[in-house]
Amino acid sequence: MTGVRAGPPHRDRVGYLRGAPPPGWARLVPVVLLAAVCVATAVSSEPLDIGFVLGAVPPLAVLANGPVATAVLGALTLLVLSMPVFNLDAPGSTDMLTVAFVAVLSVLLSFIRSRRDAQLVTERAVARAAQRAVMPPLPDRVGTVRCTGLYRAAQRGTLVGGDFFDVRAGPFGVRAVMGDVQGHGLSAVATVASLLGAFREAVLDEPDPESVAARLDRRLAVDADGDPHAELFATAVLLDFSADARSVRLMACGQPGPFLLRDGRAVELEVEPCMPLGLGLAELGTPDVSAVRLQPGDRLFLASDGVFEARDAEGVFYPLAERLTRFADGDPADLAGRVWTDLLRHSPDVQDDVTMLVLTPAPPEERDGGP
């Protein structure tokens, strides 16, 4: 089972108008236009007054070609205009000077665009590296638990938004978290990074999920301290697997519990809700923690409110429990991807961050050190 962060490409693909490199065919457009004019004039028995079309060649070259290629295409344009063999109805000196000026200006613009594109590529690579440092790819197995995750940030072109999840092994077992911070998009990335850092430390230090939740709650409270207008909070579900992954303890802080997929059915686990993180969880006393026994073949499916609250054109919520039952017998590695594809059919224009996490206790033969 593979840890997944990618999904259908149309959600992640950045278009040319949004800063992506130009498509390969765009480089050929000015060449094709130039060749088309040459062929048209060569086969015509009379002069054609279409020389003005060649004035578009240098500007079109700017869109996808570098300054050298743009300069070459500009020179070829002037050459075609000036050669009698192409029979272009003898363009005047004013026409030639106009095209020459446009060609020189196009070379300058191409140089500027090329430099900006190079800078944009560098900045995008740095941004992706920074975001992946916050949310690194989920491993396909952590200890005795196999993992598959799917993440879709609401803001296009980003890898991290207001949702988060992680699965870590520590001295007290395998712990998992999935949550949603206040807001979404890039404005929530700092809070996500802070919470995930606190979770990874707590996995190593804290003996139970209650203590892990208290650590996250305190992290948000400290981040908001000193700013009277800060209202940092997050909803989250914490899972604490036993050493043999035969049971799991659950704690839901302002968020629904996971679904248990067993014997072809999907049942939402009843978990006593706790206060969201960042609102003084530690001051309310010991939070409620639910324990669930797991059987071979069981899967736990967690989803953010971007899934629960997705609506179709008529305002009908996505029927997650029904669809999970339909997909329950499939490969656990494909479950999150199948739900995502089905969700897009139900609600094509998803506006919120979407997160899914599938956790499967390893088969008995793998718990004892198997592959």
Side-chain angles (χ1 to χ4, degrees):
M1 188 181 303
T2 304
V4 180
R5 292 210 186 275
H10 68 274
R11 285 281 299 186
D12 287 339
R13 185 177 296 162
V14 181
Y16 175 52
L17 295 180
R18 295 180 178 271
W25 57 263
R27 301 178 186 276
L28 300 177
V29 171
V31 178
V32 171
L33 180 60
L34 183 61
V37 171
C38 293
V39 171
T41 56
V43 299
S44 176
S45 59
E46 297 182 359
L48 297 180
D49 191 13
I50 60 173
F52 68 93
V53 176
L54 294 177
V57 171
L60 287 174
V62 172
L63 297 178
N65 293 277
V68 174
T70 301
V72 171
L73 287 169
L76 289 175
T77 299
L78 292 171
L79 183 63
V80 170
L81 282 171
S82 62
M83 292 181 67
V85 68
F86 290 109
N87 206 17
L88 284 171
D89 198 22
S93 58
T94 301
D95 297 330
M96 295 292 291
L97 287 174
T98 300
V99 174
F101 174 77
V102 171
V104 172
L105 183 61
S106 297
V107 172
L108 176 61
L109 292 176
S110 178
F111 174 76
I112 296 174
R113 182 196 57 78
S114 299
R115 294 291 298 270
R116 290 174 64 89
D117 284 356
Q119 180 66 22
L120 185 60
V121 168
T122 301
E123 291 178 356
R124 184 181 292 118
V126 172
R128 285 184 170 271
Q131 292 179 79
R132 288 198 179 278
V134 175
M135 290 277 289
L138 188 68
D140 54 3
R141 176 175 168 179
V142 178
T144 55
V145 178
R146 289 190 164 191
C147 320
T148 300
L150 184 145
Y151 192 104
R152 281 294 171 281
Q155 186 166 341
R156 289 181 179 272
T158 63
L159 303 178
V160 182
D163 288 357
F164 62 94
F165 63 74
D166 202 0
V167 184
R168 297 275 166 162
F172 305 102
V174 176
R175 268 86 179 267
V177 64
M178 194 196 75
D180 182 6
V181 307
Q182 175 194 22
H184 60 262
L186 292 177
S187 62
V189 173
T191 305
V192 168
S194 182
L195 280 174
L196 287 176
F199 171 75
R200 291 159 187 165
E201 289 293 329
V203 165
L204 302 176
D205 301 333
E206 305 297 346
D208 51 58
E210 302 97 304
S211 301
V212 175
R215 178 79 73 90
L216 301 183
D217 181 78
R218 186 180 65 180
R219 178 70 268 166
L220 286 178
V222 170
D223 289 347
D225 188 32
D227 185 353
H229 302 292
E231 296 180 355
L232 291 180
F233 67 90
T235 60
V237 177
L238 293 165
L239 300 93
D240 183 9
F241 289 89
S242 62
D244 58 4
R246 296 181 185 274
S247 65
V248 61
R249 301 179 69 201
L250 306 168
M251 185 173 174
C253 301
Q255 191 162 307
F259 283 86
L260 175 64
L261 279 66
R262 175 184 292 172
D263 299 329
R265 298 176 60 243
V267 178
E268 185 175 356
L269 296 176
E270 296 184 2
V271 181
E272 190 68 26
C274 303
M275 182 76 70
L277 302 172
L279 300 181
L281 180 66
E283 300 174 2
L284 300 178
T286 303
D288 293 314
V289 177
S290 303
V292 177
R293 294 291 300 175
L294 299 175
Q295 300 177 7
D298 283 354
R299 282 161 284 168
L300 294 171
F301 181 91
L302 297 90
S304 66
D305 56 7
V307 178
F308 288 105
E309 298 178 2
R311 305 190 189 200
D312 62 12
E314 298 178 356
V316 178
F317 288 104
Y318 179 68
L320 179 58
E322 173 189 326
R323 302 304 169 84
L324 282 176
T325 299
R326 181 187 304 176
F327 303 145
D329 293 330
D331 187 346
D334 300 330
L335 179 58
R338 295 179 69 186
V339 173
W340 169 249
T341 301
D342 189 62
L343 177 68
L344 286 180
R345 294 194 189 103
H346 180 86
S347 180
D349 189 23
V350 179
Q351 297 294 330
D352 199 1
D353 298 319
V354 170
T355 307
M356 302 179 217
L357 184 61
V358 183
L359 303 173
T360 307
E365 62 272 15
E366 295 188 15
R367 290 175 180 153
D368 299 324

